Amino acid sequence: MYSLNVRDHFMIAHSFSGETFGPAQNLHGATYIVDATFRRPKLDADGLVVDIGLASATLKEILGELDFRNLDDEAAFTGQNTTTEFLARTIFDRLVAAIHDGRLGDEARGIQQLNMTLHESHVAWASFEGSV
């Protein structure tokens, strides 16, 4: 399986509900480093997994929808703890939709798997991986 990774980052504020989260129940900020890894069994006609420019630009656009936002104020996340794991799946879903919509080019429809990893710090991260 071939893979290609693009990286970006975004910053958010949020709080969590539930005693499990201790002090993170209070409003706090996070800066995530995001790795999107695209996988496919065969390279496209140009010898690529995906066009790196389109992949980078699309990831940046998707992260821009979250960047510098208080996620507690976003209607799409009402009643949801926006944990690192939850955000990894959210960004995964949005990037898969972009692939299906052709925003990463027609050849990107050959991508079979995507791994979305959000690095919360240098010692902690979460991922969601699935079929495209």
Side-chain angles (χ1 to χ4, degrees):
M1 188 76 70
Y2 293 94
S3 65
L4 178 113
N5 189 84
V6 294
R7 176 175 275 188
D8 207 327
H9 73 283
F10 70 109
M11 295 182 277
I12 54 98
H14 61 175
S15 61
F16 297 134
S17 296
E19 290 183 30
T20 300
F21 297 102
Q25 292 176 83
N26 297 315
L27 186 65
H28 62 282
T31 299
Y32 292 103
I33 296 171
V34 179
D35 286 312
T37 305
F38 303 86
R39 294 191 178 98
R40 64 190 297 160
K42 295 180 182 178
L43 298 177
D44 70 14
D46 293 318
L48 302 173
V49 172
V50 65
D51 180 312
I52 196 168
L54 289 175
S56 294
T58 303
L59 179 61
K60 181 176 282 308
E61 179 184 326
I62 289 167
L63 297 179
E65 297 167 359
L66 303 170
D67 201 19
F68 290 105
R69 300 250 183 354
N70 179 347
L71 300 185
D72 296 348
D73 296 337
E74 297 294 315
F77 303 135
T78 299
Q80 176 66 51
N81 280 326
T82 52
T83 62
T84 304
E85 297 89 336
F86 173 83
L87 291 172
R89 176 63 189 261
T90 299
I91 297 165
F92 171 94
D93 289 342
R94 293 177 182 187
L95 197 48
V96 167
I99 292 168
H100 290 292
D101 290 345
R103 290 170 38 206
L104 279 80
D106 286 336
E107 290 291 328
R109 291 188 174 107
I111 295 168
Q112 291 187 356
Q113 291 182 309
L114 175 64
N115 178 286
M116 188 62 53
T117 301
L118 274 64
H119 300 266
E120 193 171 333
S121 74
H122 66 290
V123 296
W125 58 89
S127 297
F128 183 85
E129 183 169 355
S131 299
V132 174

